[in-house]
Amino acid sequence: MARVHLYVAAACAVVLALAAPSLAGDPDMLQDICVADKTIPIKINGFPCKANVTADDFFFDGLRNPGNTNNPNGAVVTAANVDMFAGVNTLGVSLARIDYAPGGLNPPHTHPRATEIIFVLEGVLEVGFITTADVLFSKIITKGDVFVFPRGLVHFQQNRGHGPATVIAGFNSQLQGTQQVAMTLFGATPPVSSDILAKGFRIDNQLVDAIKARF
C-alpha cells in the first residue's frame, strides 16, 4: 500500500510539473486567431476578438526605426505588444525594440507577466538581474549576443559603449507589464507616504521628497 501511495504521489508531482508552464504564462488560446478589437468597451482578461480580420492585422512595422533617446534615461523602449499590435492578442508573445544613447540606461524594472530575452543588434551593454535572494547576475554583452531575464525579477541594461546600442526583446506574453522600480516607488499616484519610503530606504523624509520631485 505504501508503494502505491508513493507511485500516486510521484504521478501527481509529474502532472503538476508539466502543468506549471501553462499556469505561468498567458491563458491558452481557444481559437486559431483573435485579433484584438479595442473599440468594444468590455473589460475582460485580454481583449475581445475583431470580427473582420485581414493580413494587415498580423503585420507591424513599428520597430523599423530607432526610437528617440533624448530623455533623462538616454534610452527608449518601442513596444510591439497587444497595445500596439492587435494581431498578437491571445498568442502569448510580443516584442520590443530598445535603443540606447551612449551611457543610456533602461533602469531597474520588472515584468510581472513575462520572461524577457534580448538579442543585441549593435553596441556594448552591461545587463543583469537580481534574484529574490539578492544575488546579482550581470554580464557585458555585444552584437550577436543573447541574454535572458527571468520573469518577475528586477533587471536592467546600460550602454557601456561609445556609440548607440540597440536590442530586440522577446516576451512570452502579449502584454508583459512593466514596473520601473524608481518610478513605481517615487512617482506613484496617489503617492506612497514619505515616511514609508524614508524608513524603507533608511533616509530622511526631506531626501525622499527631493527624489519624488524628480518623478
Side-chain angles (χ1 to χ4, degrees):
M1 181 64 69
R3 178 173 294 182
V4 171
H5 289 167
L6 180 61
Y7 288 160
V8 171
C12 290
V14 170
V15 169
L16 289 173
L18 292 174
S22 65
L23 299 175
D26 291 356
D28 286 340
M29 53 199 291
L30 300 178
Q31 58 276 314
D32 289 344
I33 59 174
C34 179
V35 175
D37 187 343
K38 297 182 182 177
T39 65
I40 300 176
I42 298 175
K43 299 295 184 182
I44 61 174
N45 187 25
F47 296 95
C49 302
K50 181 179 176 181
N52 299 312
V53 177
T54 70
D56 285 341
D57 290 311
F58 304 98
F59 170 80
F60 183 73
D61 63 3
L63 304 187
R64 287 181 179 178
N65 300 314
N68 184 2
T69 58
N70 185 22
N71 59 63
N73 290 326
V76 64
V77 179
T78 305
N81 56 38
V82 71
D83 279 341
M84 304 297 295
F85 185 15
V88 301
N89 191 44
T90 75
L91 300 184
V93 294
S94 59
L95 290 174
R97 172 181 177 142
I98 312 174
D99 292 288
Y100 316 79
L105 172 70
N106 190 10
H109 62 282
T110 70
H111 301 299
R113 295 187 289 275
T115 290
E116 175 182 1
I117 187 167
I118 62 172
F119 175 78
V120 183
L121 295 178
E122 66 172 333
V124 179
L125 295 142
E126 179 180 354
V127 302
F129 65 87
I130 304 164
T131 71
T132 56
D134 300 324
V135 177
L136 170 66
F137 291 88
S138 182
K139 191 170 181 64
I140 299 295
I141 60 176
T142 189
K143 182 177 179 178
D145 290 344
V146 173
F147 196 86
V148 66
F149 306 100
R151 174 186 172 184
L153 297 185
V154 174
H155 60 282
F156 59 86
Q157 308 107 29
Q158 184 168 29
N159 183 356
R160 292 300 193 190
H162 298 294
T166 303
V167 306
I168 294 295
F171 304 92
N172 62 333
S173 172
Q174 68 180 34
L175 191 61
Q176 74 280 5
T178 301
Q179 282 191 302
Q180 291 193 7
V181 176
M183 177 62 76
T184 296
L185 293 174
F186 294 98
T189 304
V192 179
S193 168
S194 293
D195 290 341
I196 291 173
L197 294 175
K199 191 172 184 65
F201 284 93
R202 302 175 187 176
I203 57 179
D204 59 44
N205 285 26
Q206 289 74 24
L207 184 53
V208 169
D209 292 338
I211 297 173
K212 282 183 175 180
R214 294 177 175 270
F215 292 93

